[in-house]
Amino acid sequence: HLGAVLSRGQVGTLLLAILGAMLLAAVRGRRFRAGLWLAAAITLKVIPAFLLLYPLWRRDWRWLAGAGAGLALGLYLLPALALGPSAAWTNNARWIEVMFLPQLSGDADQSRFNELHSLLKPDNQSPLAVLHHLRWLGTPIDQRPPEAALSTRIAHLGLVGLATGITLLASGLWRGRGPGGRDHLPWTMGALLRGMLLA
């Protein structure tokens, strides 16, 4: 099954396995290793960077150090060995140019907009897309704008922030934000994964 999924360019199953390994390492108290696994997930698909909120909130410097080391390895050192330092740097810069900057500015490279960011795609079921389509209810889909208004984006970020804040507070982290205490980890990570999907 994993081979069939990967052959289609989908990494969901592999990503889930990596996040499972991260949680297992964290529950066993191997926080540097948990950071390495989280870095592997972020390197594979940037979205799990959201989960860095957990070690940041806990001020878990070992977990963060592992994540930093893993990101340096996965995003630059290994590509530099395979492609050369210059090509590795160029590829990372290109990724920022076509994937990250378009989220901040309409003047950036929009060549991937229709494929990745348009809210008119029928398979886009993100909360942002749902809020956007509710706003334009009654208007034919092909006449709706392909991107959300600023107020819709703010509402979406507010929902994400609320869900994330409730998760962190409900986990009991406000009592002791040091790295100790791991009983809450599985359900906290599960709730943060839900927040990650919302975001």
Side-chain angles (χ1 to χ4, degrees):
H1 175 72
L2 181 58
V5 169
L6 290 173
S7 71
R8 292 205 244 341
Q10 301 300 315
V11 295
T13 306
L14 181 58
L15 186 66
L16 189 59
I18 291 170
L19 290 173
M22 175 202 73
L23 183 57
L24 182 62
V27 167
R28 289 180 172 173
R30 297 177 177 147
R31 299 187 315 273
F32 187 85
R33 189 177 297 178
L36 288 173
W37 282 115
L38 180 54
I42 295 167
T43 301
L44 185 64
K45 195 169 181 105
V46 73
I47 295 167
F50 181 87
L51 299 178
L52 285 169
L53 284 173
Y54 178 80
L56 281 169
W57 178 262
R58 295 284 287 183
R59 297 181 191 135
D60 192 330
W61 308 122
R62 263 208 240 160
W63 192 323
L64 291 169
L71 287 172
L73 180 68
L75 295 177
Y76 186 72
L77 294 176
L78 289 177
L81 285 173
L83 306 170
S86 177
W89 187 265
T90 301
N91 285 340
N92 280 327
R94 181 69 179 147
W95 184 91
I96 290 169
E97 185 182 325
V98 300
M99 298 295 286
F100 181 68
L101 293 180
Q103 297 297 312
L104 304 178
S105 167
D107 298 331
D109 184 327
Q110 297 292 327
S111 60
R112 311 293 196 284
F113 178 82
N114 285 333
E115 181 184 351
L116 298 173
H117 305 297
S118 173
L119 296 177
L120 301 184
K121 292 182 73 170
D123 59 350
N124 188 338
Q125 299 168 5
S126 71
L128 179 65
V130 170
L131 291 172
H132 176 69
H133 290 297
L134 283 174
R135 181 176 184 156
W136 292 94
L137 205 59
T139 304
I141 293 222
D142 59 346
Q143 295 176 25
R144 297 176 187 178
E147 52 189 321
L150 179 61
S151 58
T152 305
R153 288 184 181 278
I154 290 171
H156 172 246
L157 290 174
L159 286 172
V160 170
L162 183 64
T164 304
I166 288 172
T167 298
L168 293 174
L169 292 174
S171 70
L173 301 181
W174 70 91
R175 279 187 241 127
R177 295 200 302 176
R182 299 184 293 271
D183 295 344
H184 64 279
L185 256 170
W187 75 264
T188 300
M189 273 298 158
L192 281 176
L193 283 167
R194 238 186 358 252
M196 178 184 85
L197 295 174
L198 275 175

